[in-house]
Amino acid sequence: MPSLGADMESGTLVEWLVHEGDTVHRGDPMAVVDTDKSAIEVESFDEGVVESFLVEPGTRVAVGTPLASLAPAEAGLSTAAKARVPKPRVPVPLGAPPLRHHAAELGVDLTRVSGTGPHGEVTRADVDRAAAEARAGARPGTALVRPETAPVRPVARGTQVSPYARRLAEELGVDLARVSSTGRDGAVRAEDVRRAAEASARPAASAPVEAREEAPGAGEVPESRERSARATIAALMSRAKREIPHYYVATTVDLSTATEWLRRTNRERPVSERLVPAALLLKATAVAARQHPELNGFWADGRFVPGEDVHLGVAVSVRGGALVAPAIHHTADLDLGEVMAALRDLVKRARAGRLRRAEMADPTLTVTDLGDQGVEEVIGIIYPPQVALVGVGRIVERPWAVDGMIGVRPTVRLTLSGDHRATDGATGARFLNTVEQLLLHPEEL
């Protein structure tokens, strides 16, 4: 169980993404872990063959607990492990989204349908035939998903949902708020989503499920994820304020040049690739952090440890009131288009619970931007073991004097929270001045 942040002492294994006998390479996603704040994909640290799983899904274990064992790829599996490996299934092309939607309407599980199209592709006729055969009882259980006998519970707000189940729900058009869960601790599994798709296609078949949902105790859910997330954040922020001697510096930056440059640049870009001010602010912060490396790193073992590169953490609010700050790796080396694409991707995956271990463990400096919430100034708490945090407010038009003339300019309020053990206010002031100068020349970013 890897450490996915300074506030993490234990985690819950939600789902395995590989099987025993699979060959994995360094960086391949192997499992999904719940950290109380978000579900995160954990990558393999080594290459090899999955020999055995040491922790079952739904189990909460301490950081550092072995989750699985790998055998060297060249050595292969042990005899006992080979006996446990299921025979591989030949993947079958499942067709385009319209076909999957048609299958969902009929309650057909495409993974159990034999395809007659080119290269084994499942066709609409195959789906219709499978539905007819299952209704007639010719091949019971082959195509239609049968409700499980396990007790079910209605999904409550904050309930764990595996990333695969979430993606399947999007494909099948299933509302997760209406799905009854059968997983451990109330977690929603892919099979729960398939059963819900069948029930929505055949209302009469859902009556037994509804009856079970009303059974005594069925509405009980595990501890609120929101409460757990707040407790985790409270513990970390209390530690930060107790242990880190904070100092704060702030400045107001004229963004008229930057916003005008954005307008000209965006006219030449496709709509999907247009930039927003946040991309400029992130890139300027990353370049400034490279020029002032004493703010880009960690306080560990009583001394400052510089970061290997600038990996900006971006604070993102996710479901249940949690806050995560995953990293955009090598931010200073990306062009503005790449920063914009990385920001969109990171926010989307953070809110869908599909972050990766490295994104949570690697940030060297965090940026929190509450401008979209109408806040003009953010004075944040440093995320340990980092030594600084940059706060960004909303862009506001203010009276601005230039060469003795007053005009109205778009401005933004930037703040730096610094760790006085690593730096002092003069360092923070030079950092903000560098950010300001970079924003005055956006074409150089």
Side-chain angles (χ1 to χ4, degrees), residues 68-80:
S69 63
L70 300 182
E74 60 274 10
L77 296 175
S78 65
T79 303

Side-chain angles (χ1 to χ4, degrees), residues 108-129:
V108 173
D109 182 356
L110 286 173
T111 62
R112 304 179 186 179
V113 178
S114 298
T116 60
H119 308 294
E121 182 176 354
V122 176
T123 66
R124 188 181 184 91
D126 297 328
V127 173
D128 293 336
R129 184 180 65 255

Side-chain angles (χ1 to χ4, degrees), residues 161 163-176 179 193:
V161 182
Y164 175 64
R166 195 177 302 281
R167 291 194 292 271
L168 186 63
E170 292 175 356
E171 291 180 356
L172 298 180
V174 173
D175 182 359
L176 286 172
V179 176
V193 175

Side-chain angles (χ1 to χ4, degrees), residues 172-225:
L172 298 180
V174 173
D175 182 359
L176 286 172
R178 300 178 180 274
V179 176
S180 297
S181 61
T182 60
R184 184 174 299 187
D185 295 330
V188 175
R189 303 181 304 156
E191 196 64 27
D192 300 326
V193 175
R194 294 192 184 99
R195 186 177 63 248
E198 177 192 357
S200 63
R202 296 186 300 150
S206 65
V209 177
E210 293 174 359
R212 285 196 297 271
E213 288 176 356
E214 296 173 0
E220 296 176 5
V221 296
E223 180 185 6
S224 166
R225 184 187 185 89

Side-chain angles (χ1 to χ4, degrees), residues 9-72:
E9 297 179 354
S10 62
T12 301
L13 178 66
V14 176
E15 179 182 14
W16 282 110
L17 303 178
V18 295
H19 302 88
E20 291 180 343
D22 286 354
T23 298
V24 296
H25 303 281
R26 186 178 180 86
D28 287 349
M30 286 191 64
V32 177
V33 169
D34 187 357
T35 68
D36 288 334
K37 292 166 66 176
S38 180
I40 299 170
E41 291 183 354
V42 175
E43 306 97 337
S44 173
F45 301 110
D46 299 290
E47 296 188 359
V49 179
V50 181
E51 188 167 44
S52 63
F53 294 137
L54 307 179
V55 175
E56 292 294 322
T59 306
R60 189 175 188 86
V61 296
V63 168
T65 302
L67 301 179
S69 63
L70 300 182

Side-chain angles (χ1 to χ4, degrees), residues 11-12 37 43 63-64 87 90 101 108 119 130 171 238 251 284 293 307 309 317 319 323 411 414 427 433:
T12 301
K37 292 166 66 176
E43 306 97 337
V63 168
K87 294 181 179 180
V90 178
H101 180 70
V108 173
H119 308 294
E171 291 180 356
S238 297
T251 190
D309 201 349
S317 176
R319 292 185 308 275
L323 185 70
T411 64
L414 301 181
T427 303
N433 183 63

Side-chain angles (χ1 to χ4, degrees), residues 217-253:
E220 296 176 5
V221 296
E223 180 185 6
S224 166
R225 184 187 185 89
E226 181 174 355
R227 189 182 307 119
S228 178
R230 293 314 312 174
T232 300
I233 295 172
L236 182 66
M237 294 297 98
S238 297
R239 169 192 160 191
K241 291 295 285 185
R242 183 172 60 251
E243 298 180 0
I244 300 175
H246 285 63
Y247 70 84
Y248 309 96
V249 290
T251 190
T252 302
V253 178

